[in-house]
Amino acid sequence: MNLIQQSRKILMAFVLILILTLTTACGGGRVAEVDRTTTTPAVGRDVTYAELERGNTPAGQNFGNWVVQTSKGLITDAYVRDNNKLGVVISPQVSPNEVRPLASSLVQGFRKNFPNQDVKVLVYSPDKKLILTADYVAQTNQIRYS
């Protein structure tokens, strides 16, 4: 039974990677910006975690929403800051050996939507503790994990 559960989790990770790769590759360019006023959340002034936006720019907000919606429950929350930093909170369904492939997939999608710059993906556990950082360096086209 444990083998079936492990296989299911690995399959889900690969499906998510495939979905993120295909959607960003076939989506064509940047995330469209919507016409709306952007207000920077007032962190520290009676603002709860749930009231924070998914991005501090319209493109970041759209990408953060897209990540959560297309993750099929593997990512419970996401935020984008300054169009170069993506933070995600994974669900308990994600096993430890699936975190790095998931981060790699997120880096690939993130850099395609926000090209020609270094990007960082921060992966948090369900209890919101940082478990992995993936830094993409545009000059070398490499990802460093820490």
Side-chain angles (χ1 to χ4, degrees):
M1 186 67 169
N2 193 15
L3 181 63
I4 294 172
Q5 290 176 340
Q6 186 72 10
S7 299
R8 188 180 133 252
K9 287 180 181 179
I10 291 171
L11 180 63
M12 286 299 290
F14 285 118
V15 167
L16 177 62
I17 290 168
L18 181 65
I19 290 171
L20 288 173
T21 304
L22 288 177
T23 339
T24 54
C26 299
R30 297 167 90 73
V31 175
E33 294 187 21
V34 282
D35 291 330
R36 68 180 190 94
T37 58
T38 303
T39 58
T40 305
V43 177
R45 291 186 310 159
D46 300 327
V47 176
T48 64
Y49 175 80
E51 293 173 328
L52 293 175
E53 293 187 7
R54 292 230 160 97
N56 63 348
T57 65
Q61 177 81 22
N62 289 339
F63 189 77
N65 288 334
W66 177 83
V67 166
V68 173
Q69 290 170 357
T70 59
S71 73
K72 306 272 191 227
L74 295 178
I75 297 173
T76 59
D77 198 8
Y79 69 88
V80 176
R81 296 293 178 260
D82 303 323
N83 293 340
N84 66 356
K85 186 184 291 183
L86 169 66
V88 297
V89 178
I90 59 174
S91 75
Q93 295 175 328
V94 180
S95 67
N97 61 343
E98 296 172 327
V99 173
R100 188 175 257 191
L102 177 61
S104 174
S105 177
L106 290 167
V107 165
Q108 291 173 19
F110 194 43
R111 72 181 183 90
K112 286 182 182 176
N113 283 285
F114 302 99
N116 304 322
Q117 63 179 329
D118 295 346
V119 296
K120 178 180 289 214
V121 173
L122 302 134
V123 181
Y124 295 90
S125 64
D127 60 356
K128 297 181 181 59
K129 292 191 179 166
L130 182 64
I131 56 174
L132 180 70
T133 301
D135 290 295
Y136 170 76
V137 181
Q139 185 177 13
T140 63
N141 199 26
Q142 302 260 331
I143 302 173
R144 287 187 324 237
Y145 299 96
S146 55

